[in-house]
Amino acid sequence: MSGEVRTHIGRAMPRIEDDRLLRGQGRYVDDIALPGTLHAAFLRSTQAHARILRIDTERAAALPGVHAVLTAADVAALPPVVNEAELRVPPALAEALRPVVRRLPLPALADGRVGYVGQAVAMVVADSRYLAEDALEEIEVDYQPLPVVVDPEEALAEGAPRLAGEGTEEEWPDNLALAVHTVVGDPEAAFAEPGAVIVEEEFEAHRYVASPMETRALLAAPGGYDGRLTVWSNTQTPHRLRDHIAESLGRPAGEVRVVAADVGGGFGQKGIIYPEEVLVPFAAQALGRPVLWREDRNENLVAASHAREQRHRIALAADGEGRLLGLRDRFTVNFGAGTLTGLVVPYNSVVHLLGPYRVPNVEIDVRAALTNTAPTSPYRGAGRPEAVFAMERALDRLARRLGMEPAELRRRNLLTPDQLPYRTGLLDRSGSDQEYDSGDFPELLRRAVAAVDLPALRKRQAEEAAAGARRRVGVGFAVYLESTGLGPFESARLSVRPDGRLLLALGAPSQGQGHRTSMAQIAADAVGVPVELIDVVGGDTDTVPHGVGTIASRALVTAGNATHLAGRRLRERIAAEVRAEAQDAWGQRELARLVADGVELGETAYFRPPGFTMSSGAHAAVVEVDTRTGAVSVERYVVVHDAGRIVNPLIAEGQITGGVAQGIAGALFEEMVYGPDGQPVTTTYMDYLVPTSSEIPDLELDEIHTFSTLNPLGVKGLGEGGAIAPQAVLANAVEDALRGVGGADEVVVRRGPLTPERVRGLIRRTENTGKETH
């Protein structure tokens, strides 16, 4: 193969891993069978807020085949779970904004009190899952109910039941888990400017969940010969999990190995650490046998983290030509009964709220509240969809007030390429000045508008309105940014094996992103070998000493550039060894010979991004709304995106498609509902509506490429991009379709999902009042 140099980056290669996965040869945690494995199950709280007066485990423990029944008293040696990395506040951010970021450690098992339905109260380990589930039914728990609060603003009101550490030294004075306030320019003057046009509305991003195809799972096995503890997990952050397990069990990190096997989706829900991930290794260590726990779907819906749920009160001020003068936003986040990730999601909303628009004067105020609902954490987009929903909805309302085409209002306020790099005046998540590195936002919007043929749609709308048609067409737009490449670093090690093949080991595992293919493409180009010679392993803590994980659209930027750096160094070493610097490619035979001659060929590299690189996109949707039934049909969905240099177009298209599908799911179908008593209502897929492929329209994809200036490959992340805009663009389209329906022109879509019942409710109120007030 020497001398045959091929460029792999940019090729639409089919995913190498798909042949194995599609033939049913994947190995997920539940597929790993170790002799003598015991099975764990958890008794979960049926109460939203209550004191635990008594737990009786005697009958459960006496059942044949039951090896352990654990309560809080039995695991007192385990420290409560705190996601330290997620809760850390960068010093520069802390000094400049002085945010309030409180911590509420999660006990491994509920100790004296439960704070939400689904919280683990007891753990059973038995010969089989069936026996473990039978034993759970024999455990008796007496609860004393306490007052419940599920609405975040009610939780922050004076007199609300306090949820954090009541009666303990850790008791909080209220339910305020987080507060941050930031100002750019002089928003007060902007809103007071003579002639300013001001709109102010309330928009709510509703709660829903990640629903990965593979629910959480963990298999922990004490070592039979070396004394180490091996944990197979479908975590997104194996090194963080390794360190957390080791610290909790009082063992050196080197005595714990975490392996992220094949993983069936994560979407952020598996990017944090849960009590179960400490309890299973604890039980395996205590019993001296492997212990497996796999979450069932009901557990995933009620006990794993939820997401979204923000309520924005947003105001925009503009001049008579529609140019933005200022923005004010006060929003509240529902943290549920925990503080899993601190600033991560709320501050992500802050730094994405302005999007690709020029907004010279800004004031943003954020509060997060504890409530008696499941804790919330990042989910694909992680604060970005919520912010884009608020901003893009407000822009449509402003356009309506100005009598302007919404797309034209956006065009007038978009930053242009010659204005980049651009500083917004905000601080980014690291505490540095937020800066947009590259992009062409007007071109994104221009292509989206052209794709839907806006003049023809307006003509059709006029004809339908004149005819009093039952079905009305509407069009919506949204433009967004996505800061990607979260630091502080990621690692990669490339080494030549004795057979001449190359092994690429990454700190970032794949949960379906196609690392086996895309990272191999990067490595092949960097070293100068065929991609077929590259094997990829991600998420095994024994293969690279340190790593962060696959979260926050960071893997391609961080692990990809670490791979590139390691590959270039390895290439130089190989060239030095074969004394053929002019030669720029090597074959398997030459590499095997070097290794056989005793040459150690391996390089480890860490890439530390200097800042966040900005992906961007514009979405457009054409919908038809049945005004009699409220049913929404998506006729067309257009995506124009920019993720810099594309390593594999097929994988990029898959990422965008999957993200848009999840976004449409949130916009039209999915909602995690709680009753006022804190009882979750949508606890199975009979109630929680996950769409199938038949509900997702064919997508019309287009792209531009503005390379990032912040990394050698010029790449940007795009794993979350598709999920950011659908809620906003579909809400805009539905509201557009309902203009004039019911004899009024005041329907305002303030939240989703836009189910037939909700849409029909909007129309009905308009018909009844002449003015929608929902």
Side-chain angles (χ1 to χ4, degrees), residues 210-228:
S211 291
M213 186 176 294
E214 182 197 22
T215 54
R216 295 180 292 152
L218 205 76
L219 171 62
Y225 62 92
D226 62 1
R228 300 175 74 205

Side-chain angles (χ1 to χ4, degrees), residues 389-691:
F389 183 76
M391 181 65 174
E392 294 291 326
R393 287 271 48 241
L395 284 171
D396 259 33
R397 297 306 303 163
L398 178 61
R400 187 73 57 86
R401 180 71 59 83
L402 291 165
M404 185 180 294
E405 184 66 61
E408 173 60 19
L409 175 67
R410 288 172 171 81
R411 188 194 66 78
R412 293 185 184 189
N413 288 285
L414 286 172
L415 292 160
T416 55
D418 62 301
Q419 293 174 312
L420 303 181
Y422 175 81
R423 291 190 173 184
T424 63
L426 297 170
L427 298 179
D428 66 19
R429 287 175 58 184
S430 70
S432 303
D433 291 327
Q434 186 185 33
E435 184 172 287
Y436 301 165
D437 59 334
S438 61
D440 188 345
F441 317 129
E443 178 62 12
L444 294 171
L445 178 63
R446 186 195 68 76
R447 293 193 186 198
V449 173
V452 297
D453 192 356
L454 191 55
L457 285 172
R458 295 303 183 209
K459 181 174 181 291
R460 177 180 164 189
Q461 282 184 315
E463 292 170 351
E464 289 175 347
R470 167 181 164 180
R471 300 178 188 276
R472 300 295 183 91
V473 69
V475 59
F477 300 94
V479 192
Y480 65 90
L481 288 176
E482 180 192 8
S483 62
T484 67
L486 174 72
F489 70 90
E490 197 49 81
S491 58
R493 177 167 177 77
L494 254 175
S495 56
V496 181
R497 287 173 153 172
D499 62 359
R501 296 183 61 82
L502 277 70
L503 176 65
L504 171 62
L506 301 167
S510 174
Q511 303 99 45
Q513 291 90 346
H515 291 181
R516 174 68 184 82
T517 307
S518 58
M519 297 298 177
Q521 291 179 260
I522 294 171
D525 278 2
V527 181
V529 297
V531 71
E532 293 80 8
L533 279 189
I534 309 287
D535 298 314
V536 180
V537 173
D540 184 339
T541 58
D542 270 9
T543 60
V544 288
H546 304 290
V548 175
T550 302
I551 52 176
S553 298
R554 66 186 301 278
L556 183 61
V557 177
T558 55
N561 279 286
T563 297
H564 173 74
L565 294 175
R568 297 300 297 181
R569 292 172 190 168
L570 183 60
R571 183 187 191 121
E572 292 173 2
R573 286 194 58 188
I574 295 171
E577 292 294 338
V578 300
R579 297 184 177 84
E581 291 79 356
Q583 186 176 320
D584 55 4
W586 298 271
Q588 185 175 359
R589 183 177 302 173
E590 291 96 325
L591 295 175
R593 179 180 56 77
L594 287 173
V595 175
D597 288 344
V599 179
E600 196 279 324
L601 293 175
E603 289 287 344
T604 300
Y606 292 83
F607 180 70
R608 301 177 184 279
F612 294 92
T613 185
M614 291 288 174
S615 294
S616 53
H619 290 198
V622 179
V623 303
E624 185 179 73
V625 179
D626 187 322
T627 58
R628 187 172 300 173
T629 66
V632 176
S633 302
V634 182
E635 287 190 355
R636 298 182 64 190
Y637 200 101
V638 175
V639 178
V640 188
H641 69 91
D642 178 6
R645 190 181 192 187
I646 299 298
V647 172
N648 185 318
L650 279 181
I651 291 177
E653 182 176 331
Q655 286 275 39
I656 292 294
T657 301
V660 171
Q662 285 187 306
I664 291 174
L668 300 181
F669 301 98
E670 297 183 22
E671 181 174 16
M672 191 68 206
V673 179
Y674 278 87
D677 56 357
Q679 291 294 325
V681 175
T682 47
T683 60
T684 74
Y685 278 170
M686 293 294 290
D687 306 300
Y688 187 89
L689 301 180
V690 177

Side-chain angles (χ1 to χ4, degrees), residues 4 27 38 62 108 169 266 330 347 375 419 433 445 510 546 549-550 647 653 680 692 705 709 745 759:
E4 293 184 15
R27 288 294 177 269
L38 302 175
E169 293 181 358
R330 178 182 176 87
Y347 202 72
Q419 293 174 312
D433 291 327
L445 178 63
S510 174
H546 304 290
T550 302
V647 172
E653 182 176 331
T692 65
H705 307 281
T709 59
D745 194 19
V759 173

Side-chain angles (χ1 to χ4, degrees), residues 13-82:
M13 288 182 55
R15 297 190 348 154
I16 297 169
E17 52 268 69
D18 282 353
D19 182 83
R20 181 174 62 86
L21 296 174
L22 293 175
R23 293 176 190 274
Q25 296 171 353
R27 288 294 177 269
Y28 300 87
V29 172
D30 198 41
D31 294 320
I32 300 169
L34 300 179
T37 295
L38 302 175
H39 297 259
F42 291 92
L43 181 71
R44 300 188 179 279
S45 172
T46 58
Q47 301 288 316
H49 193 199
R51 287 194 179 88
I52 299 174
L53 302 178
R54 183 182 70 95
I55 303 180
D56 186 344
T57 63
E58 186 174 345
R59 287 195 300 175
L63 288 178
V66 171
H67 292 260
V69 180
L70 305 177
T71 65
D74 302 304
V75 298
L78 287 177
V81 172
V82 176

Side-chain angles (χ1 to χ4, degrees), residues 252-309:
E255 291 187 5
V256 177
R257 177 189 183 189
V258 171
V259 182
D262 285 327
V263 179
F267 312 116
Q269 192 181 68
K270 299 172 183 171
I272 57 172
I273 296 168
Y274 297 84
E276 293 94 334
E277 292 173 297
V278 178
L279 287 163
V280 173
F282 174 83
Q285 178 175 270
L287 296 170
R289 291 178 60 175
V291 175
L292 168 68
W293 170 66
R294 56 182 179 277
E295 182 183 57
D296 64 31
R297 184 57 65 184
N298 174 259
E299 284 182 297
N300 182 261
L301 285 170
V302 304
S305 64
H306 297 170
R308 312 293 192 237
E309 196 165 1

